[in-house]
Amino acid sequence: MLYKLLRQWKWILLLLLLTGGGIAGYYTYSVVQFANTISVDPADPAGADAQETAFRLPEWDGKDPVHILLLGTDSRDVDSNGRSDSMMVATVDPVSKKAYLMSIMRDTYVNIPGHGRSRINAAYSYGGAPLAMETVGQLLGVPINSYVTIDFEGFKALVDQVDGVDIDVEKDMHYTDGGDGHRYDINLKKGYQTLDGTHALQYVRFRHDATSDFTRTERQRKFLAALAAKMQSSTSIVNLPSILKATAPYIQTNMSASTMLKLAGLGMDVNVGNIEKLQIPPTPLLKEETIHGAAVLGVDETLLRKYIQDKLSDNDENNDQSTADQ
């Protein structure tokens, strides 16, 4: 369904915090106001997506690696959580200043606490962001400290605020849907071009090809790198207050303002050109299965958790060696 195609924009808050946070000293008021606007009290039943569960994690201490679940939402889906068609985990190590982006395949077949086994994108519909956090943390073997949801309109607003993003569209992309008066049709031509918010939305949500979610998540990572670079440009830094103001209505998180400001403190120390991007589960660990007549992606979760820990441990070992050599 159309609304499932539009939940893609989960990583925008991290970009705003990491690329804009380094100049918080110049724009303290804007950054603090932004953080207070998007922060939702997880104990408040009126808060966005928040269905109460017993699952709670301590607030990030600013010293250990932080793992944030990034989810997309469709503002038109007001009657239920719906399924999170895309999930990404952003990991940042405050010591090494290394960052990771893990795209989770939506058809990964996992255990959802209290609901049995299902595709991982069902966790959000069963229990909102808290249950999605618990499910993803259980799959990866890491503590998911926080979540962020962002509306696709916020994605469009951000891209427009930075005057578009240059991207090499690798092929013609076309898709037509009669819903919403064809508002979300896709019509892109192959070639290097500057995409505004509307056309950038088309690019990152397109999945109507033979490899579907595999190439879609790859495109999202590609676009993320280009957008992150644009966010670190001098023009975007100067326009940071207006960027924050334009996107704040579409973002919500259970992070406190203090946690967001700790993340903002990493700011320009994170090299966005060196973000490690991972597909989860990685292709060698995938097992295509059919469950009750439906195609799903199986994975040995023990091997997957070892894969994640090895990736993070490699970075820790390299950082220790670099320190020892100094």
Side-chain angles (χ1 to χ4, degrees):
M1 295 178 66
L2 179 62
Y3 74 89
K4 290 183 178 180
L5 300 177
L6 301 172
R7 295 189 170 102
Q8 317 290 333
W9 332 123
K10 54 277 176 200
W11 29 261
I12 302 302
L13 174 65
L14 187 69
L15 285 177
L16 292 173
L17 291 173
L18 294 184
T19 60
I23 57 168
Y26 294 101
Y27 297 103
T28 302
Y29 175 77
S30 295
V31 173
V32 172
Q33 185 178 52
F34 173 76
N36 286 328
T37 298
I38 68 175
S39 183
V40 175
D41 182 354
D44 178 7
D49 316 326
Q51 293 187 10
E52 287 304 305
T53 72
F55 182 65
R56 290 289 182 269
L57 280 169
E59 186 171 346
W60 181 50
D61 62 8
K63 300 177 182 179
D64 295 324
V66 59
H67 308 280
I68 305 170
L69 178 62
L70 309 173
L71 299 163
T73 62
D74 183 350
S75 60
R76 299 168 304 158
D77 187 20
V78 296
D79 295 327
S80 66
N81 285 318
R83 292 193 180 207
S84 55
D85 189 59
S86 297
M87 293 179 168
M88 189 174 285
V89 173
T91 294
V92 184
D93 187 330
V95 176
S96 67
K97 307 303 188 295
K98 175 75 175 180
Y100 304 80
L101 283 171
M102 308 179 200
S103 302
I104 302 175
M105 305 298 289
R106 67 193 184 100
D107 290 334
T108 304
Y109 200 65
V110 301
N111 177 63
I112 300 177
H115 298 273
R117 296 186 66 78
S118 185
R119 289 186 177 92
I120 196 167
N121 66 337
Y124 184 70
S125 64
Y126 291 147
L131 183 59
M133 289 171 59
E134 183 176 8
T135 302
V136 172
Q138 177 178 273
L139 174 68
L140 302 183
V142 298
I144 305 298
N145 306 82
S146 308
Y147 73 85
V148 175
T149 66
I150 183 166
D151 186 86
F152 63 92
E153 292 293 339
F155 168 80
K156 291 165 59 178
L158 175 58
V159 174
D160 286 337
Q161 283 290 317
V162 298
D163 295 324
V165 173
D166 295 334
I167 203 78
D168 187 6
V169 178
E170 60 271 20
K171 62 182 178 181
D172 291 348
M173 298 179 185
H174 302 286
Y175 175 72
T176 299
D177 191 296
D180 294 296
H182 293 280
R183 180 182 177 188
Y184 298 108
D185 287 354
I186 297 174
N187 186 22
L188 291 174
K189 294 294 185 181
K190 177 181 177 180
Y192 189 82
Q193 55 199 283
T194 300
L195 300 179
D196 62 12
T198 296
H199 291 93
L201 177 66
Q202 294 179 15
Y203 179 74
V204 297
R205 72 180 177 90
F206 181 78
R207 70 178 186 196
H208 302 279
D209 49 22
T211 49
S212 186
D213 206 38
F214 291 89
T215 49
R216 183 196 62 161
T217 55
E218 182 179 347
R219 276 190 292 271
Q220 290 175 356
R221 293 189 293 268
K222 173 184 174 181
F223 188 87
L224 168 61
L227 178 58
K230 189 66 178 283
M231 286 287 294
Q232 284 193 334
S233 70
S234 58
T235 301
S236 294
I237 291 173
V238 170
N239 293 330
L240 179 64
S242 61
I243 292 173
L244 297 179
K245 184 177 180 180
T247 55
Y250 310 103
I251 300 172
Q252 289 183 316
T253 178
N254 65 339
M255 281 187 279
S256 67
S258 63
T259 293
M260 284 184 273
L261 291 174
K262 288 176 186 176
L263 280 174
L266 292 176
M268 292 298 183
D269 290 335
V270 174
N271 182 358
V272 297
N274 195 35
I275 294 175
E276 186 162 358
K277 307 174 189 69
L278 307 174
Q279 172 191 292
I280 302 298
T283 299
L285 298 185
L286 283 177
K287 298 182 293 183
E288 295 186 8
E289 302 177 351
T290 301
I291 306 294
H292 304 305
V296 299
L297 299 176
V299 62
D300 185 319
E301 295 185 15
T302 299
L303 291 179
L304 176 60
R305 287 190 283 270
K306 183 178 185 303
Y307 169 81
I308 298 296
Q309 291 303 320
D310 286 346
K311 283 289 184 182
L312 300 180
S313 296
D314 284 346
N315 181 65
D316 291 340
E317 292 172 1
N318 291 338
N319 187 58
D320 290 344
Q321 183 62 47
S322 176
T323 301
D325 291 341
Q326 293 177 355

